[in-house]
Amino acid sequence: MFKSLILIILFLKFCTSLDTLTTNKSIKDGQYLISKDNNFAFGFFSPGNSSYKYLGIWYVKVTQQTVVWVANRNDPLNDSSGVLSINQYGDLVLHYSNNRLLWSTNVSVQDKVITSSVAQLHDSGNLVLIQDNNKKVLWQSFDHPTDTLLPNMKLGLNLMTGINMFLTSWKSKDDPGTGNYSLKINPNGSPQSIVYKGSTPHWRTSPWPWISRTNETYSSGEKYDFVNNKDEIYYAYFVDDPSIMKRVVLDSTGLIQTLVWDDGVHQWKEQWSAPKYRCDKYGQCGSYSKCSPDNVNRFECMCLPGYEPKSPREWDLRNGANGCVRKHLELSVCGNGEGFVKVERLKLPDSSFSAAWTGMGMGRFECEQACLMNCSCTAFTIMNIDGKGTNCLAWYGELMDILEYADEGSDLIVRVDAIELAKYIRKSKGSLSKQRKLAIALVSIVVPMFLVSLLAYIWLAKKKKTKVSFEGHELEDSSTHPDLPIFDLSCIVAATENFSPTNKLGQGGFGSVFKGQLSNGQHIAVKRLSKSSRQGTGEFKNEVMLIAKLQHKNLVKLLGCCIQEDETMLIYEYMPNKSLDSIIFDHTRASFLNWKKRFEIILGIARGILYLHQDSRLKIIHRDLKASNVLLDAEMNPKISDFGLARLFKEDQTQDKTTRVVGTFGYMSPEYVVYGQFSTKSDVFSFDVILLEIVSGKKNCDSYQEHPSQNLIGHSFGYS
């Protein structure tokens, strides 16, 4: 029904559509230019809740209104009397019916030559004005972007024509007027993409050649170009599959997003965005410092080698905006025995004002010598551009907006004074000699002690089971979770805003679950054990022992735990789409869950169960599989959670029995409820119930009018 409605709307649009606009035609409200592949339309529209009329380009096949270009963004029409036509000079002009001009391409004013032009909307979404006699392109919308960068569209500068192609945000979702943010290619030093708020940098990429921090930035089937020559400096991306609708948008808050249309759920899905974390903000730690987003429990700002905080008091208060200054201001760093220290895995400093290429084909030694010869040179890096050999990029002055990555990035060679250089030399050389002396002195003591300790450990391991205590909570077999991170209580309190009720996600017999955000921007879910819950203490021990060992894409990931003072908490990855039951039993949300996605969710749950029963090193029976214990990530991938009631089986064990039946009625198998017997079949029974609920959208505990005593299983299979 929904698809039929869309087809009808498209048909009505085509009834008043044009292929081209010529001098003897015009476009009024309700008329459109349509691209040949029917992907884009050009005409009048009203954004969001606005009553104003604008002239723009939008997607035709997307069910949400998605505008990619606006002509009169700062001069809206207040009624439906607007007319677009081609005037006698070959210009596209927008005016009121009384001929008052609102917008024009303004390409032939200097000539005032009477000519004939044709306007066409290309399949790429580019509106092109062509001179009719020689097919010369007079003007195109791709040269004048608004807030959207489409595939094949350039972001940058044409040095021959002087055209600067950059994005500017809308004021709001209802107002396409020029907003506060812009995304531009800054050509100075080594070119960078920078988001500005007004004229102030807000976020930027590394200097070119750009290094992507994550694999998600450029997905399979997508290519990109960066051209930097005497004629042009620009960035563009291309998508191989024309059926994929992708766009890059700068929104009214300064956020850049790469979005892909998901026709299954009728939504734009975010593929990448920035700025995302605190360290992404331009100059978060000031000058001569680096910002590390992976610092969870400590201040994210660190001074570069040879520098110290400019304002120690502000630094202690975790405010790094003032940055760092040289440690030994009285000591010259020019011709006084200075040298260089390498800092690894960085987003390189801003090259807008102080960086320059010192030479092509230069290695580290040549670049270092060139930097030493210039007293203003503060740092340099070696880059390989397009596989054509190494080149030297040097900074002369302030080093600003440096970000430290965990496993990627570039090396920055920082200039330090003689005192600081001596410290680093002693660290690298002295540590090795100290280690040798220490080894010689202690080897006769350490080796015998080690052998005695090893024999004692083997003997004790045979005598009893090893236990470890986390501040009063005993957990068997400490080897099961040697790398499980322990979070500080103050970190969790800050992340959850002191367990604010607004961050509460849910509650169970164990206690409450809260949403939180760590200092590096990562979202987490915190399961807080109730102080009065005996059930919760048992579940806590069970989850730490079991789930810490499990690694599977369809199992929720345990990030760590916190046991401090009288608090006991488990920290998980945050699932933005919450639990499966919150979608399939909600009529509004369930309407966005098509059959393909439901089938994928069913397969994902099945893979998770198969891993628990057969493919993991441990054979685990979950015992509490239900729709509320299946969480959904941002891409609607299912992840099984809550292992508090899970039981570990031996490899050859097929079933077990308990006198304490726990779980959720409606999901428990009959033999478990009646006799306390459970096995892998118990989880399969629960999975069957979830499958019925996903397909029907009804809860197993619902009753039915014709047979009130029946649940969903009885209703499906016809028994009471």
Side-chain angles (χ1 to χ4, degrees):
M1 182 68 183
F2 182 78
K3 289 185 176 179
S4 299
L5 181 61
I6 295 299
L7 290 173
I8 292 171
I9 294 172
L10 290 174
F11 176 76
L12 291 174
K13 286 186 176 182
F14 296 154
C15 288
T16 55
S17 67
L18 300 172
D19 295 325
T20 59
L21 179 66
T22 58
T23 51
N24 59 349
K25 295 180 181 178
S26 63
I27 293 178
K28 299 179 181 179
D29 191 21
Q31 297 177 319
Y32 310 90
L33 270 182
I34 301 289
S35 62
K36 289 183 179 179
D37 62 359
N38 296 325
N39 270 345
F40 292 95
F42 171 60
F44 292 94
F45 72 97
S46 294
N49 296 318
S50 174
S51 59
Y52 288 110
K53 293 285 184 178
Y54 296 86
L55 183 67
I57 301 170
W58 62 88
Y59 285 100
V60 173
K61 297 176 182 178
V62 170
T63 53
Q64 298 177 8
Q65 184 191 58
T66 305
V67 178
V68 300
W69 184 80
V70 186
N72 59 321
R73 60 187 308 186
N74 295 313
D75 294 296
L77 292 149
N78 54 19
D79 55 33
S80 301
S81 63
V83 178
L84 178 74
S85 60
I86 297 177
N87 67 11
Q88 59 181 330
Y89 303 113
D91 270 315
L92 272 173
V93 291
L94 171 65
H95 51 81
Y96 278 105
S97 55
N98 60 8
N99 287 326
R100 184 165 70 88
L101 183 67
L102 278 178
W103 173 84
S104 169
T105 54
N106 199 31
V107 291
S108 57
V109 173
Q110 58 182 353
D111 299 327
K112 295 297 181 184
V113 175
I114 298 176
T115 185
S116 176
S117 301
V118 175
Q120 295 176 338
L121 183 60
H122 289 184
D123 294 342
S124 61
N126 189 17
L127 179 66
V128 181
L129 185 65
I130 303 170
Q131 197 163 345
D132 204 13
N133 57 348
N134 58 13
K135 306 304 178 185
K136 177 185 176 183
V137 175
L138 300 173
W139 177 95
Q140 57 181 351
S141 62
F142 271 18
D143 286 343
H144 308 276
T146 51
D147 70 327
T148 302
L149 187 73
L150 294 173
N152 310 305
M153 192 173 177
K154 295 178 181 179
L155 179 77
L157 300 94
N158 187 319
L159 303 176
M160 303 293 290
T161 63
I163 294 177
N164 189 357
M165 296 156 283
F166 61 92
L167 305 185
T168 49
S169 64
W170 286 24
K171 287 184 177 179
S172 69
K173 65 178 181 179
D174 299 327
D175 185 354
T178 303
N180 293 327
Y181 294 91
S182 59
L183 171 62
K184 301 179 179 180
I185 295 285
N186 188 312
N188 298 326
S190 183
Q192 310 162 109
S193 292
I194 302 180
V195 174
Y196 295 92
K197 184 177 183 180
S199 59
T200 304
H202 176 66
W203 173 88
R204 70 176 182 91
T205 64
S206 287
W208 180 78
W210 299 323
I211 295 178
S212 166
R213 188 181 176 200
T214 61
N215 292 328
E216 65 185 358
T217 306
Y218 298 109
S219 58
S220 177
E222 181 179 335
K223 301 175 183 176
Y224 71 98
D225 274 350
F226 182 81
V227 174
N228 182 13
N229 56 38
K230 62 182 179 62
D231 298 328
E232 294 180 291
I233 301 174
Y234 71 82
Y235 161 82
Y237 69 98
F238 311 91
V239 179
D240 291 340
D241 187 349
S243 67
I244 295 176
M245 288 181 278
K246 176 178 282 193
R247 61 193 177 109
V248 176
V249 181
L250 177 65
D251 75 10
S252 58
T253 66
L255 181 71
I256 313 169
Q257 292 178 295
T258 299
L259 302 171
V260 178
W261 178 252
D262 188 332
D263 203 37
V265 295
H266 304 291
Q267 287 182 352
W268 287 100
K269 291 294 187 69
E270 181 182 277
Q271 213 177 36
W272 175 86
S273 65
K276 187 179 291 186
Y277 306 114
R278 281 168 56 89
C279 283
D280 289 341
K281 181 183 177 183
Y282 184 92
Q284 174 70 16
C285 294
S287 57
Y288 302 109
S289 66
K290 62 180 180 178
C291 191
S292 176
D294 297 308
N295 286 352
V296 176
N297 295 319
R298 58 189 176 91
F299 188 31
E300 67 265 19
C301 298
M302 294 178 63
C303 291
L304 293 175
Y307 294 85
E308 61 187 0
K310 183 177 182 180
S311 175
R313 184 176 181 278
E314 291 296 317
W315 204 266
D316 291 340
L317 294 173
R318 296 198 168 196
N319 178 9
N322 290 325
C324 304
V325 294
R326 283 203 176 274
K327 287 181 180 178
H328 312 106
L329 295 176
E330 74 285 355
L331 186 63
S332 171
V333 289
C334 192
N336 196 18
E338 72 276 13
F340 296 89
V341 173
K342 181 170 71 172
V343 187
E344 301 176 328
R345 305 187 312 277
L346 301 180
K347 179 174 93 171
L348 294 171
D350 186 355
S351 66
S352 301
F353 308 106
S354 60
W357 296 98
T358 61
M360 309 301 284
M362 294 176 66
R364 171 165 177 172
F365 177 77
E366 293 85 1
C367 193
E368 186 174 304
Q369 294 305 307
C371 189
L372 283 173
M373 292 174 64
N374 190 320
C375 293
S376 299
C377 183
T378 51
F380 68 87
T381 190
I382 303 296
M383 289 186 174
N384 190 317
I385 300 178
D386 296 334
K388 298 178 181 178
T390 57
N391 298 275
C392 180
L393 179 65
W395 280 261
Y396 301 89
E398 189 176 53
L399 303 176
M400 174 64 80
D401 192 41
I402 305 172
L403 192 151
E404 181 180 49
Y405 296 142
D407 51 8
E408 296 183 11
S410 302
D411 295 339
L412 182 69
I413 319 299
V414 180
R415 187 174 191 160
V416 297
D417 59 45
I419 295 176
E420 199 67 25
L421 180 63
K423 289 180 182 178
Y424 276 86
I425 293 175
R426 283 197 299 270
K427 283 181 182 179
S428 59
K429 292 184 178 180
S431 60
L432 183 59
S433 62
K434 286 180 181 178
Q435 288 172 3
R436 288 174 179 172
K437 291 177 183 178
L438 186 63
I440 294 171
L442 298 180
V443 68
S444 60
I445 300 173
V446 173
V447 172
M449 288 182 65
F450 172 76
L451 291 174
V452 172
S453 300
L454 180 61
L455 292 171
Y457 173 79
I458 294 172
W459 181 79
L460 288 171
K462 292 180 179 180
K463 295 290 289 181
K464 62 179 181 178
K465 239 182 183 179
T466 304
K467 291 188 178 182
V468 67
S469 173
F470 282 111
E471 299 183 24
H473 296 275
E474 288 187 345
L475 299 174
E476 293 187 356
D477 189 9
S478 63
S479 64
T480 59
H481 44 77
D483 299 321
L484 185 66
I486 306 298
F487 284 78
D488 188 79
L489 178 60
S490 61
C491 173
I492 302 303
V493 169
T496 59
E497 298 177 337
N498 199 18
F499 303 104
S500 168
T502 58
N503 289 330
K504 191 172 181 179
L505 298 174
Q507 187 165 349
F510 55 84
S512 303
V513 180
F514 294 86
K515 178 184 177 182
Q517 185 174 9
L518 299 176
S519 59
N520 65 354
Q522 181 181 7
H523 291 286
I524 57 173
V526 180
K527 181 188 284 188
R528 188 186 191 191
L529 178 67
S530 173
K531 299 177 180 64
S532 60
S533 172
R534 294 182 62 188
Q535 174 195 357
T537 303
E539 289 183 1
F540 176 87
K541 295 178 182 179
N542 214 33
E543 293 215 29
V544 171
M545 286 190 294
L546 293 181
I547 198 171
K549 276 189 171 184
L550 304 175
Q551 294 290 334
H552 192 270
K553 65 179 181 179
N554 294 117
L555 303 183
V556 70
K557 185 178 181 181
L558 180 65
L559 302 177
C561 64
C562 175
I563 309 172
Q564 193 173 336
E565 298 175 3
D566 58 348
E567 293 284 358
T568 306
M569 291 173 282
L570 291 170
I571 294 88
Y572 297 93
E573 60 178 329
Y574 174 65
M575 298 288 106
N577 280 313
K578 301 182 180 179
S579 58
L580 178 62
D581 65 323
S582 68
I583 293 183
I584 61 175
F585 301 142
D586 184 310
H587 181 72
T588 302
R589 297 187 72 192
S591 63
F592 294 103
L593 208 60
N594 59 23
W595 289 114
K596 180 183 177 183
K597 181 54 68 176
R598 290 179 193 238
F599 182 66
E600 289 173 355
I601 291 173
I602 292 169
L603 281 181
I605 300 171
R607 291 191 187 100
I609 296 172
L610 182 65
Y611 173 78
L612 294 174
H613 290 178
Q614 293 184 16
D615 297 337
S616 71
R617 291 178 297 170
L618 307 174
K619 187 176 182 180
I620 295 172
I621 313 301
H622 189 281
R623 292 207 303 169
D624 198 21
L625 284 171
K626 54 185 176 181
S628 60
N629 281 343
V630 176
L631 305 182
L632 300 169
D633 66 12
E635 303 299 325
M636 300 294 285
N637 297 310
K639 294 179 183 282
I640 299 171
S641 70
D642 203 339
F643 286 77
L645 303 181
R647 290 288 291 269
L648 181 64
F649 270 25
K650 296 178 181 177
E651 193 169 333
D652 58 348
Q653 187 177 0
T654 58
Q655 68 175 25
D656 201 350
K657 190 173 183 179
T658 181
T659 57
R660 181 172 175 262
V661 176
V662 291
T664 304
F665 287 106
Y667 293 91
M668 295 188 291
S669 62
E671 69 272 14
Y672 181 48
V673 175
V674 178
Y675 303 110
Q677 295 178 349
F678 61 93
S679 65
T680 56
K681 296 178 182 178
S682 307
D683 285 350
V684 174
F685 180 91
S686 304
F687 170 71
D688 291 341
V689 176
I690 297 173
L691 190 151
L692 286 174
E693 290 180 331
I694 293 173
V695 172
S696 66
K698 298 181 181 296
K699 298 180 181 179
N700 187 36
C701 58
D702 286 348
S703 60
Y704 294 86
Q705 188 173 0
E706 59 271 27
H707 296 289
S709 62
Q710 286 186 351
N711 58 14
L712 179 59
I713 297 175
H715 182 73
S716 301
F717 296 100
Y719 61 84
S720 57

